Amino acid sequence: MKLRKVTAASAAVLALAVAATACGSSNNDSGSSGGGKKIKIGIKYDQPGLGLKEPNGSFSGFDVDVATYVAGKLGYKPSQIQFVETKSADRENALSRGDVKFIVASYSITDERKQKVDFAGPYFLAHQDLLVKKDSTISKGTDLNGKKLCSVTGSTSAQNVQKKIAPKANLKENSGYSECVASLQSGAVDALTTDDSILAGYAAQAQYKGQFKLLGLKLSNENYGIGVKKGDTATVNKINDALKSMVSDGTWKKDVEKNFGPANYKYEPAPQIGQIVK
């Protein structure tokens, strides 16, 4: 009998220990304040000036600064943020699966995307442009017809070229912009198209400095929003409040100049939250 009592007591203690461990093991955000939890935020890993994973494992760029500021307003310290790579083609899926709480990754707000996710913002206005070699004769969008053009799978830029600008362009889609830049440098493609903010970041990098030029065409308006899981209105409202604070307290302007200043990028003024520029 004594042995059975001890065994039963031990089992009870073990069950309590397992339960306590399970309760303390979660590192996912629940939508509340930080505490000991972590929040997962989707960003790009290969966009200098916006979202870049540095060789030492740290992260830099305007989107990273925006994400960090917003998370701070939601109650999370930088040490509680876990940045997750979300490539263009996988952003909607990452939100619907719950892989991340929100996404700050040069994520243009479009009517098509709003069918699948909700957006806070916009927090930045960019324009589609072309990056070409310094000695390129390409000067306008229609010059791309018959040329080799690189963009990224799932980006609005690739769709815009095919539908409106140069339907006869030979479009090559890669999973990341760094691959496109390497192709442009080697001569495998004639031009790279995406948002001017992204292109400016690459053009300013030391290994590419002086090799490329932006054409400044403003082929479209790209309203960057923060993607949130469809139906999560509470989080959208909290993020919008955070973005308004970021603009009003001067942090937005400071972070834009810090990240885009070296590229001499002429950025647009901070957009009004909730107002899309067509």
Side-chain angles (χ1 to χ4, degrees), residues 44 47 88-89 91 106 108 110 112-113 127-130 141 144-145 147-177 180 191-196 198-199 219-222 224:
K44 293 289 184 65
Q47 292 182 351
S88 295
R91 286 178 295 203
S106 56
S108 298
T110 67
E112 182 180 358
R113 287 172 177 166
H127 304 283
Q128 183 178 353
D129 199 0
L130 298 177
L144 295 172
N145 284 309
K147 301 289 187 180
K148 296 177 182 177
L149 175 69
C150 195
S151 194
V152 166
T153 305
S155 71
T156 55
S157 298
Q159 298 164 14
N160 195 36
V161 167
Q162 288 180 311
K163 294 177 181 177
K164 302 176 183 178
I165 299 170
K168 294 182 180 179
N170 182 5
L171 182 63
K172 177 184 179 182
E173 294 182 278
N174 285 325
S175 61
Y177 291 108
C180 282
L192 160 59
T193 187
T194 186
D195 305 345
D196 51 8
I198 299 172
L199 297 177
L219 299 172
S220 69
N221 292 324
E222 303 297 332
Y224 288 177

Side-chain angles (χ1 to χ4, degrees), residues 87-102:
K87 295 186 176 182
S88 295
D90 195 46
R91 286 178 295 203
E92 287 83 18
N93 290 331
L95 287 169
S96 65
R97 290 192 304 257
D99 296 346
V100 294
K101 186 66 176 177
F102 57 85

Side-chain angles (χ1 to χ4, degrees), residues 69-101:
Y69 185 97
V70 169
K73 288 294 185 181
L74 296 182
Y76 294 87
K77 299 175 183 178
S79 60
Q80 294 173 301
I81 299 172
Q82 181 180 344
F83 288 118
V84 178
E85 183 177 23
T86 49
K87 295 186 176 182
S88 295
D90 195 46
R91 286 178 295 203
E92 287 83 18
N93 290 331
L95 287 169
S96 65
R97 290 192 304 257
D99 296 346
V100 294
K101 186 66 176 177

Side-chain angles (χ1 to χ4, degrees), residues 93-241:
N93 290 331
L95 287 169
S96 65
R97 290 192 304 257
D99 296 346
V100 294
K101 186 66 176 177
F102 57 85
I103 293 176
V104 192
S106 56
Y107 202 178
S108 298
I109 301 171
T110 67
D111 290 337
E112 182 180 358
R113 287 172 177 166
K114 285 194 289 186
Q115 300 301 312
K116 301 176 182 178
V117 303
D118 286 337
F119 284 99
Y123 65 92
F124 193 81
L125 176 61
H127 304 283
Q128 183 178 353
D129 199 0
L130 298 177
L131 187 70
V132 297
K133 281 193 170 182
K134 196 95 173 184
D135 58 355
S136 174
T137 59
I138 295 173
S139 62
K140 56 185 183 297
T142 53
D143 289 343
L144 295 172
N145 284 309
K147 301 289 187 180
K148 296 177 182 177
L149 175 69
C150 195
S151 194
V152 166
T153 305
S155 71
T156 55
S157 298
Q159 298 164 14
N160 195 36
V161 167
Q162 288 180 311
K163 294 177 181 177
K164 302 176 183 178
I165 299 170
K168 294 182 180 179
N170 182 5
L171 182 63
K172 177 184 179 182
E173 294 182 278
N174 285 325
S175 61
Y177 291 108
S178 56
E179 298 168 34
C180 282
V181 176
S183 295
L184 180 61
Q185 185 183 38
S186 69
V189 298
D190 300 298
L192 160 59
T193 187
T194 186
D195 305 345
D196 51 8
S197 56
I198 299 172
L199 297 177
Y202 279 112
Q205 281 197 301
Q207 67 265 41
Y208 301 127
K209 201 163 186 178
Q211 297 183 42
F212 306 130
K213 62 181 178 181
L214 271 73
L215 299 186
L217 299 181
K218 293 190 176 182
L219 299 172
S220 69
N221 292 324
E222 303 297 332
N223 297 269
Y224 288 177
I226 296 181
V228 178
K229 187 174 183 178
K230 191 70 177 175
D232 190 356
T233 305
T235 298
V236 170
N237 291 338
K238 290 177 183 177
I239 293 175
N240 278 335
D241 288 342

Side-chain angles (χ1 to χ4, degrees), residues 27-48:
N27 63 353
N28 292 327
D29 169 59
S30 62
S32 60
S33 61
K37 297 183 179 180
K38 292 188 179 293
I39 183 169
K40 293 181 178 180
I41 303 174
I43 62 168
K44 293 289 184 65
Y45 275 19
D46 67 340
Q47 292 182 351

